[in-house]
């Protein structure tokens, strides 16, 4: 199970005071990493609607190992975020496998407000080391834990 968080289209970046974006329909993320929205299912004027799934590619430039993340003096810096979930979720999508990474962050969502960015690697969730866990396990920890999530991530340093 993955966090069911909203992922807004890239061109939808305006925020309302309540932290919600405005504009077209919002896309939702399913637990398997697919994004879906309601569109017509048929090509010949069929008025029935059904979800059309689209699985986005990984945002990572190259594979990274847990050993590389933990190497002292390596090109990664650790950051800590406290994210308070709202009625929709926490506003981010975790993907990958040992280590997991942030695949998407909802603009103007709780995670973006806390400073979380795409391509960061998840190190811990609420004090529990998750470097050697898959994204389904991490998502389960987040979904079944408290509304406020404390996450440590590793981010590549600017060169």
């Amino acid at each position: 199970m993955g966090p069911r968080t909203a992922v807004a289209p890239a061109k939808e970046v305006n925020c309302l005071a309540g932290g919600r974006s405005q504009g077209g329909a919002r896309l939702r993320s399913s637990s398997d990493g697919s994004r879906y929205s309601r569109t017509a299912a048929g090509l010949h004027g069929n008025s029935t609607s059904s979800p059309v799934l689209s699985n986005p590619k990984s945002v990572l430039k190259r594979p990274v190992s847990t050993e590389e993340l933990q190497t002292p003096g390596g090109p990664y810096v650790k950051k800590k975020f406290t994210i308070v979930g709202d009625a929709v979720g926490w506003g981010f999508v975790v993907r990958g496998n040992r280590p997991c990474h942030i695949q998407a962050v909802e603009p103007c969502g709780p995670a973006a407000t806390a400073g979380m960015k795409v391509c960061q690697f998840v190190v811990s969730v609420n004090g529990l080391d998750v470097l050697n866990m898959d994204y389904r396990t991490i998502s389960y920890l987040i979904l079944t834990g408290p509304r406020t999530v404390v996450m440590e991530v590793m981010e590549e340093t600017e060169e």
Side-chain angles (χ1 to χ4, degrees):
M1 295 182 129
R4 299 198 188 265
T5 58
V7 179
K11 60 186 168 186
E12 184 181 331
V13 294
N14 296 330
C15 296
L16 298 174
R20 291 283 153 237
S21 51
Q22 62 186 10
R26 293 174 67 176
L27 298 178
R28 303 271 309 157
S29 171
S30 70
S31 61
D32 67 354
S34 305
R35 292 186 309 164
Y36 62 91
S37 64
R38 302 293 273 175
T39 60
L43 297 175
H44 304 296
N46 185 350
S47 62
T48 324
S49 292
S50 67
V52 176
L53 298 177
S54 167
N55 196 0
K57 292 182 180 178
S58 175
V59 295
L60 298 179
K61 296 174 188 168
R62 64 179 181 81
V64 176
S65 69
T66 56
E67 292 79 18
E68 184 179 351
L69 288 175
Q70 295 173 320
T71 302
Y76 295 93
V77 61
K78 190 179 283 190
K79 294 186 175 186
K80 191 173 190 175
F81 301 111
T82 300
I83 305 164
V84 180
D86 62 12
V88 179
W90 291 268
F92 66 93
V93 177
V94 174
R95 288 293 172 263
N97 188 21
R98 299 172 184 92
C100 292
H101 63 277
I102 304 301
Q103 175 72 21
V105 177
E106 177 187 2
C108 309
T113 303
M116 185 173 279
K117 298 177 188 172
V118 171
C119 295
Q120 292 175 326
F121 293 93
V122 183
V123 175
S124 73
V125 174
N126 294 328
L128 180 65
D129 180 13
V130 296
L131 267 177
N132 291 304
M133 295 181 186
D134 68 329
Y135 78 90
R136 287 186 173 100
T137 306
I138 294 172
S139 298
Y140 180 79
L141 287 171
I142 294 168
L143 286 170
T144 58
R147 184 174 170 213
T148 300
V149 176
V150 177
M151 293 183 66
E152 285 186 330
V153 299
M154 297 291 278
E155 177 178 85
E156 197 163 13
T157 57
E158 300 287 327
E159 300 210 18

